[in-house]
Amino acid sequence: MDGFISDKKQQILIAASRLFRDKGYSATSMRDLARAVNLQASSLYNHIASKEEILQEICLANARRFHEGMEQAKALNNHSPSERLEFLMRLHIRMATQDITSVTSFNDEWRHLSEPHLSQFLDMRRQYESFIRHILREGIEQGTFRNMDESLLLYTLLSSIRWLYDWFEDGKRLSAQDLESQLIPLLMGGIRV
Amino acid sequence: MDGFISDKKQQILIAASRLFRDKGYSATSMRDLARAVNLQASSLYNHIASKEEILQEICLANARRFHEGMEQAKALNNHSPSERLEFLMRLHIRMATQDITSVTSFNDEWRHLSEPHLSQFLDMRRQYESFIRHILREGIEQGTFRNMDESLLLYTLLSSIRWLYDWFEDGKRLSAQDLESQLIPLLMGGIRV
DNA sequence: GTCTATATAAGGATAGAC
DNA sequence: GTCTATCCTTATATAGAC
């Protein structure tokens, strides 16, 4: 099934993402993880240095994905705030539907990172958020977005699709495409004046 | 400061709620909790039977609060779906602003309950959700709500205010009243056609 | 690269003195 | 009701054989 993932480390990261999503980072033991990839716990250490390194790699990989999305959105600077925001929302929805488990660890388990990784992570997140904030502010000032507290709008928006990570299974009830085409009007409908 | 909370058990539950929110249930040790209430770990067991019992009580207490809200909303059956939904959303927002830590444990840590408590919890949640589903379906059929997948609408709605539990501090940036009066139009604006 | 064996620390929980 | 001491289990991680 995943024959093309020949690298054992990649298998471990994928299994860890699922376990971290289902049980949480702290409640997932190295023995749990080892069982999931058919190894003894000690054998994991041939591929990774520590349990936390796994979390670091998952968080970093996803931070990069969001960062790339931000760079793409920056290229749209001739478009309206509304169009740029919609682009980012679609990006978030697609990330949720394409790589659910990994994004969930990223969303929920980053707090278990130790320093300096925790600070680095929070810095990247702040950067990303302030990029969205900028779009929101522009839209509010232009009068195309509802006039309200910027943070309130930002976090409500980001939070509103977080459930996807726990819930969505492509094609089970809804295709990823249907999901996107129903969700975007709901989100944007509340924001646009 | 909390002199009127004379009961040690109540102190323990409050401290546990905060720790579970900040570090998660699994990453919170009984020794952490003991330190937070100025006791030795063993002394906790004079007030509670086990670590999980604490989680059970927190989850149950909050399930009850939401259940009560549901009962109040049922009394509004002569009102429109829109009014009933708005009532429930205001309830959720108020719960977030009034007792943040406890609701957060309830939201995020229930999965660490063991059976039969886990099943009981999920049953109660299903009941609550199906009550909201009913309102949503009615609104969609009447044409007052956006015509879309019911679950999609339900979870987006519930999820959209979950960030409050991590973020909101009354009066820090916004009063609870301002929060509510800005958030409700945003949420309802997306839903109403 | 995987195994068995094990070091070392931390976890939840109990016993018994006060 | 709180303490000290401790039991027992589980955790992360390492050592060394194959």
Side-chain angles (χ1 to χ4, degrees):
Chain A
M1 194 180 104
D2 49 10
F4 63 96
I5 300 170
S6 56
D7 193 34
K8 198 94 189 177
K9 178 162 180 175
Q10 202 55 30
Q11 281 179 43
I12 291 171
L13 291 178
I14 290 169
S17 295
R18 174 166 291 272
L19 285 165
F20 292 171
R21 181 194 66 167
D22 292 343
K23 312 177 57 167
Y25 174 78
S26 297
T28 299
S29 73
M30 293 301 271
R31 288 172 176 85
D32 292 334
L33 178 54
R35 199 178 312 119
V37 293
N38 282 309
L39 283 179
Q40 294 300 310
S42 60
S43 304
L44 292 171
Y45 292 89
N46 272 300
H47 306 281
I48 48 97
S50 67
K51 183 183 174 185
E52 201 196 304
E53 196 201 66
I54 298 174
L55 184 61
Q56 286 163 21
E57 297 217 12
I58 292 172
C59 288
L60 188 65
N62 283 285
R64 258 199 290 265
R65 294 171 71 205
F66 281 102
H67 191 82
E68 282 166 23
M70 186 170 79
E71 291 302 320
Q72 289 173 38
K74 276 182 182 163
L76 300 176
N77 57 4
N78 54 331
H79 290 69
S80 70
S82 185
E83 286 168 320
R84 274 178 287 152
L85 183 61
E86 187 173 321
F87 174 85
L88 281 172
M89 289 300 102
R90 285 185 190 276
L91 185 80
H92 276 245
I93 294 169
R94 276 176 208 164
M95 284 201 195
T97 57
Q98 279 163 15
D99 181 12
I100 282 203
T101 55
S102 176
V103 181
T104 308
S105 294
F106 167 75
N107 271 330
D108 296 339
E109 306 301 327
W110 55 265
R111 62 183 167 171
H112 297 109
L113 292 171
S114 63
E115 295 293 354
H117 306 97
L118 181 61
S119 293
Q120 285 165 8
F121 178 89
L122 290 174
D123 265 357
M124 293 183 70
R125 194 175 72 167
R126 231 184 325 266
Q127 261 185 54
Y128 185 74
E129 286 178 359
S130 84
F131 175 70
I132 304 186
R133 262 177 216 283
H134 184 76
I135 299 176
L136 296 179
R137 200 175 313 130
E138 230 180 308
I140 291 171
E141 282 168 5
Q142 284 187 10
T144 48
F145 291 168
R146 190 180 291 275
N147 185 18
M148 60 184 293
D149 183 88
E150 199 179 289
S151 295
L152 212 60
L153 184 51
L154 172 66
Y155 292 122
T156 301
L157 213 52
L158 293 181
S159 187
S160 65
I161 56 167
R162 290 251 325 239
W163 64 274
L164 283 180
Y165 304 118
D166 297 320
W167 180 89
F168 185 73
E169 290 176 66
D170 197 356
K172 196 188 176 190
R173 299 176 43 97
L174 226 59
S175 71
Q177 183 50 50
D178 283 350
L179 177 84
E180 191 176 323
S181 63
Q182 292 198 23
L183 209 41
I184 289 289
L186 176 65
L187 298 178
M188 298 305 292
I191 296 162
R192 293 202 189 98
V193 172
Chain B
M1 195 180 99
D2 49 9
F4 64 94
I5 300 170
S6 56
D7 192 33
K8 199 93 188 177
K9 178 162 181 175
Q10 202 55 31
Q11 281 180 44
I12 291 171
L13 291 178
I14 290 169
S17 295
R18 175 166 291 272
L19 284 165
F20 292 171
R21 182 194 65 167
D22 292 342
K23 313 177 55 165
Y25 174 77
S26 297
T28 300
S29 73
M30 294 301 273
R31 287 168 177 83
D32 291 335
L33 178 55
R35 199 179 312 117
V37 293
N38 283 309
L39 283 179
Q40 294 301 311
S42 60
S43 303
L44 293 171
Y45 292 88
N46 272 299
H47 305 281
I48 48 98
S50 67
K51 184 183 174 185
E52 202 196 303
E53 195 201 67
I54 298 173
L55 184 60
Q56 286 162 21
E57 297 216 13
I58 292 171
C59 288
L60 188 66
N62 282 285
R64 258 199 290 265
R65 293 171 72 207
F66 280 103
H67 191 81
E68 281 165 23
M70 185 170 79
E71 293 301 321
Q72 288 173 38
K74 277 183 181 163
L76 300 176
N77 57 4
N78 54 330
H79 290 70
S80 71
S82 185
E83 286 167 320
R84 274 177 289 154
L85 183 62
E86 187 175 321
F87 173 84
L88 281 172
M89 289 301 102
R90 285 187 191 275
L91 185 81
H92 276 246
I93 294 169
R94 275 174 209 166
M95 285 201 194
T97 56
Q98 280 164 16
D99 180 12
I100 283 203
T101 55
S102 174
V103 181
T104 308
S105 293
F106 167 75
N107 271 330
D108 295 339
E109 306 301 328
W110 56 265
R111 61 183 168 172
H112 296 109
L113 292 170
S114 64
E115 295 293 355
H117 307 96
L118 180 61
S119 293
Q120 285 165 9
F121 178 89
L122 290 174
D123 265 358
M124 292 182 70
R125 193 175 74 168
R126 230 183 324 267
Q127 259 184 55
Y128 185 75
E129 286 179 0
S130 83
F131 175 70
I132 304 187
R133 262 177 217 282
H134 184 76
I135 298 176
L136 296 179
R137 199 174 314 131
E138 228 180 313
I140 291 171
E141 283 168 5
Q142 283 187 12
T144 48
F145 291 168
R146 190 180 292 278
N147 185 18
M148 61 184 293
D149 184 90
E150 200 179 290
S151 296
L152 212 60
L153 184 51
L154 171 66
Y155 293 122
T156 301
L157 213 52
L158 294 181
S159 186
S160 64
I161 55 167
R162 290 252 321 241
W163 63 275
L164 284 179
Y165 303 119
D166 297 321
W167 180 88
F168 186 72
E169 290 176 67
D170 199 355
K172 195 187 175 191
R173 301 177 42 97
L174 226 60
S175 71
Q177 182 49 50
D178 283 349
L179 178 85
E180 191 176 323
S181 63
Q182 293 198 22
L183 207 42
I184 288 291
L186 176 64
L187 298 178
M188 299 305 292
I191 296 162
R192 291 200 190 98
V193 172

